[in-house]
Amino acid sequence: MLLCEDRDGVCTLTLNRPDRKNAINAQLWEELADALRAAARDTELRALVVTGAGGAFCSGADIATGEDIHPRHKLRRLTEVALALHELTVPTIAKVNGVAVGAGWNLALGCDLVVATPESRFCQIFSKRGLSVDLGGSWLLPKLVGLQQAKRLVLLADMIDAEEARSLGLVTWIKGADEIDAFVAELAGRLAAGPPVALAQSKALLNDGANATLREALANEARAQPGNFATADSTEAYAAFAQKRDATFTGQWAVPRLEK
């Protein structure tokens, strides 16, 4: 149900239940969590793309499939996916075709960047199902759009289009259906070509900075920067600038070993 493709340092995870608009059932939750944990261990990975098959991104959790287990166990699967995606050190991109609803929308918002088509539609559908928001939506939405707009989206559960989502800061780019694949491939390639240690540290600093004071953020930056100088990428960047060429980043550790 989950398709995984690795190419040139980019992993693409495709939700593949098009007959259900890629609604996520128990098996797919587990496959997603496993794939994200594997991505975290992959030292060759530079970027990750999440998308859906068959003209939809994800219509949310598959509540039509009954399970004879306590709901807390069901929610644990969602927690594992949300945390694994958030804690992934490489940049992540949601490629959204069609609908992104409920947990499906929050899966997209859990990515660092979101690319949609003009036909994409978004909804925090939970209240229409007699449910409260999940998959990190209660944490993500207020940070992205502010508390009042987050409450509007969640409490009213209105469907919004891609333009409104972009105006709220919930979509990074809108690209036509005939160009989104090429655009995301180029975007992922740009991220994959970047300095992996520096990008990972910047991503962590931005995530942590959302909850930090300025003093704490500055201290975190001061701790992170020496780690970048300790890689070959810093030297390579300066050399490439001087030689008027593109830098080739590897993330390799460049501190000489101490001889005993």
Side-chain angles (χ1 to χ4, degrees), residues 207-252:
N207 284 339
D208 293 342
N211 300 307
T213 65
L214 175 59
R215 184 177 295 276
E216 290 167 339
L218 289 167
N220 289 339
E221 292 172 1
R223 282 190 291 269
Q225 204 67 281
N228 299 315
F229 288 120
T231 69
D233 291 345
S234 179
T235 302
E236 165 64 6
Y238 284 107
F241 176 77
Q243 297 165 19
K244 295 181 173 57
R245 60 174 175 81
D246 292 333
T248 300
F249 295 118
T250 63
Q252 291 181 343

Side-chain angles (χ1 to χ4, degrees), residues 4-194:
C4 302
E5 180 187 15
D6 292 294
R7 180 180 297 175
D8 299 327
V10 178
C11 175
T12 300
L13 303 180
T14 304
L15 308 177
N16 188 34
R17 298 186 73 211
D19 58 317
R20 298 285 299 163
K21 293 188 178 179
N22 302 316
I24 308 177
N25 61 5
Q27 179 181 339
L28 191 48
W29 282 121
E30 292 172 0
E31 290 178 356
L32 257 178
D34 288 343
L36 291 169
R37 285 191 287 261
R41 297 190 298 269
D42 186 352
T43 57
E44 302 300 316
L45 185 66
R46 296 293 194 89
L48 181 132
V49 177
V50 181
T51 192
F57 181 77
C58 177
S59 58
D62 190 348
I63 60 175
T65 304
E67 286 186 277
D68 190 21
I69 62 173
H70 196 285
R72 291 184 68 87
H73 297 304
K74 296 181 183 180
L75 268 295
R76 188 176 301 153
R77 297 173 184 143
L78 279 68
T79 297
E80 291 174 353
V81 168
L83 286 176
L85 180 60
H86 179 72
E87 293 173 355
L88 200 62
T89 58
V90 300
T92 55
I93 305 166
K95 182 169 68 173
V96 179
N97 286 303
V99 296
V101 172
W105 189 8
N106 291 337
L107 178 66
L109 294 178
C111 295
D112 301 315
L113 304 167
V114 178
V115 187
T117 66
E119 297 77 26
S120 298
R121 296 294 181 269
F122 305 88
C123 181
Q124 294 286 325
I125 200 169
F126 302 97
S127 67
K128 292 185 177 179
R129 301 291 181 261
L131 301 171
S132 52
V133 61
D134 62 24
L135 204 74
S138 63
W139 186 85
L140 288 162
L141 283 166
K143 285 177 168 50
L144 293 168
V145 301
L147 185 57
Q148 189 175 82
Q149 287 294 339
K151 288 178 178 178
R152 173 179 76 92
L153 293 169
V154 171
L155 300 183
L156 296 176
D158 290 333
M159 186 77 75
I160 66 171
D161 61 20
E163 282 294 346
E164 183 174 358
R166 181 169 62 176
S167 72
L168 290 169
L170 299 171
V171 164
T172 322
W173 295 278
I174 298 175
K175 296 294 175 180
D178 59 344
E179 58 181 337
I180 189 172
D181 289 345
F183 179 84
V184 171
E186 180 186 9
L187 176 62
R190 289 175 59 192
L191 293 169

